[in-house]
Amino acid sequence: MKILLDLLLDLVATYRLTKLMLDDTIMDDVRNKIWDRYPPESTKIGYLFTCPWCMSIWAGALIFGLRKVNPEFATYTSSLLTASAVTGIAFSKGL
C-alpha cells in the first residue's frame, strides 16, 4: 500500500514541479534569463521551458530519482508539492 501511495504522491508532485517550472509567476525571472540565453525557437534548452511533455520527463526523473536516493526526504518533498497542486487546483475551481 505504501508503494502505491508513494507512486501517487510522486505523480502529482511531478505535475506540480512541471507547472512550477513552466507557468508559475515566481519562476518568470528564471525562465526569462534562460530564454535570453537560449531562445526557445532555436535551442532545445529554451524549448524545454515551453513544453510540458518535455519538462515532465525531467521533473519526474528528479522526483523518482530522489525517491531512490533518499526515500524519506522524497516523501516530504512529494507531499509538499502534492499539497500545493491540490490547493492550486481547488482554488482555480473556486472551491
Side-chain angles (χ1 to χ4, degrees), residues 35-79:
W35 289 336
D36 286 345
R37 187 162 181 176
Y38 305 100
E41 311 75 40
S42 59
T43 66
K44 291 180 181 178
I45 291 174
Y47 180 74
L48 176 66
F49 284 83
T50 67
C51 173
W53 294 99
C54 308
M55 182 60 77
S56 65
I57 296 291
W58 293 101
L62 179 67
I63 296 292
F64 284 87
L66 182 59
R67 171 86 46 210
K68 185 74 172 165
V69 172
N70 190 334
E72 186 175 342
F73 186 68
T75 298
Y76 294 129
T77 303
S78 289
S79 296

Side-chain angles (χ1 to χ4, degrees), residues 15 85-95:
Y15 159 79
V86 170
T87 302
I89 290 168
F91 270 88
S92 72
K93 301 293 182 191
L95 301 176

Side-chain angles (χ1 to χ4, degrees), residues 2-19:
K2 181 175 178 349
I3 293 172
L4 202 54
L5 179 59
D6 288 345
L7 177 62
L8 181 60
L9 284 173
D10 291 350
L11 291 171
V12 179
T14 297
Y15 159 79
R16 181 63 189 108
L17 185 56
T18 300
K19 191 90 171 124

